[in-house]
Amino acid sequence: MRVRNMLGKIKRVIFTCNREKFVAYLKSLGAEIGENVYFVNPRKTRFDYNRAPFIKIGNEVVICSGVSIIAHDYSWTVLMKAYDEVYPTGGGQIIIGNNVFIGENSTILRNVSIGDNVIIAANAVVTKNCENNSVYAGVPAKKIMSLDEYREKMKESLKDEIHNNIQSIMNRKKRLPKQEEMMNFSFLFLPRNEESIQLVSKQSWIGCDKSKMVSLFKTSTPLYSSFEDFVENNK
């Protein structure tokens, strides 16, 4: 038994070194996982390996560093010791839908379902079901806004976001930012030409399909005429 446990731990160390291998390992344990599921840091993900068959993850899901997905509960042992009565529990189902972002150090507990197009904020503790097209935060996690409201918030805060990034570089480096330092905002200033397409295709775009990002880039229109115009209007 001790040797088998040790071999299991060694396997986990090996598989957590690579995102694709980590997903394949979870599937081998019985977890149901869709396409384009991206674990930002498998080594710092706490996945309930022994209850893997109770866990289902959809397509296009980003799971950040430090996330815990826990499908068991041993709190019944307190009742056993206090009352000499046994109310054991087994695995509890966890369902994570499509196009879900789970923020850093958040926890997903058993017997919950997270819908499609959902954002779970960092450090949240999900104890109840999360409805589609929503943003959840807190301990325990509660709905704080709809996805439409979050979209409007992002639109309204975009100029401040750009300004803060430019100012951060100017304060630290005592100069204006270079284009490569602002590539998170590449859609806003790069001209739609072959050179720019190559630049966009080389970006990491965590949790996104690169071919889709390139397609969106080709069919969108920049907000600024050049990088210099972008900086000048936001510094």
Side-chain angles (χ1 to χ4, degrees), residues 27-105:
K27 287 181 177 180
S28 74
L29 295 177
E32 187 176 339
I33 301 177
E35 299 297 320
N36 298 320
V37 173
Y38 189 95
F39 287 88
V40 173
N41 190 344
R43 283 192 174 184
K44 292 190 177 180
T45 300
R46 186 185 176 199
F47 194 94
D48 201 339
Y49 300 109
N50 293 328
R51 297 286 190 271
F54 291 88
I55 300 170
K56 178 180 179 180
I57 302 174
N59 303 316
E60 305 292 344
V61 176
V62 176
I63 298 174
C64 291
S65 180
V67 168
S68 296
I69 301 174
I70 304 172
H72 70 269
D73 179 8
Y74 287 104
S75 61
W76 62 269
T77 60
V78 174
L79 297 176
M80 178 192 69
K81 295 166 188 174
Y83 299 102
D84 291 329
E85 296 173 353
V86 178
Y87 304 100
T89 60
Q93 195 171 47
I94 293 175
I95 299 174
I96 299 171
N98 302 312
N99 191 27
V100 174
F101 174 88
I102 302 178
E104 191 162 310
N105 296 321

Side-chain angles (χ1 to χ4, degrees), residues 100-194:
V100 174
F101 174 88
I102 302 178
E104 191 162 310
N105 296 321
S106 58
T107 300
I108 315 299
L109 296 180
R110 65 198 296 270
N111 295 327
V112 301
S113 177
I114 297 173
D116 298 335
N117 308 317
V118 173
I119 296 170
I120 305 296
N123 298 305
V125 178
V126 179
T127 62
K128 294 182 180 179
N129 293 347
C130 300
E131 62 186 58
N132 295 342
N133 306 305
S134 302
V135 180
Y136 284 79
V139 181
K142 295 181 180 179
K143 181 178 176 178
I144 58 171
M145 66 182 73
S146 70
L147 199 64
D148 283 340
E149 290 170 329
Y150 185 69
R151 179 190 182 200
E152 291 305 312
K153 178 183 176 182
M154 293 294 281
K155 281 184 180 180
E156 291 172 5
S157 64
L158 180 58
K159 197 166 182 67
D160 285 340
E161 182 76 15
I162 297 168
H163 173 76
N164 291 338
N165 275 256
I166 291 174
Q167 286 298 314
S168 176
I169 291 173
M170 290 176 66
N171 291 337
R172 286 186 291 110
K173 301 188 177 182
K174 310 303 178 187
R175 60 166 173 78
L176 291 173
K178 298 177 182 179
Q179 178 173 296
E180 58 266 26
E181 295 171 318
M182 301 296 291
M183 285 299 287
N184 277 1
F185 304 100
S186 57
F187 272 56
L188 305 181
F189 59 77
L190 284 180
R192 275 32 179 188
N193 56 35
E194 193 58 40

Side-chain angles (χ1 to χ4, degrees), residues 204-222:
S204 60
W205 302 118
I206 290 175
C208 299
D209 183 278
K210 284 192 177 183
S211 61
K212 183 174 182 179
M213 296 303 292
V214 170
S215 177
L216 285 172
F217 179 77
K218 289 179 179 178
T219 56
S220 60
T221 303

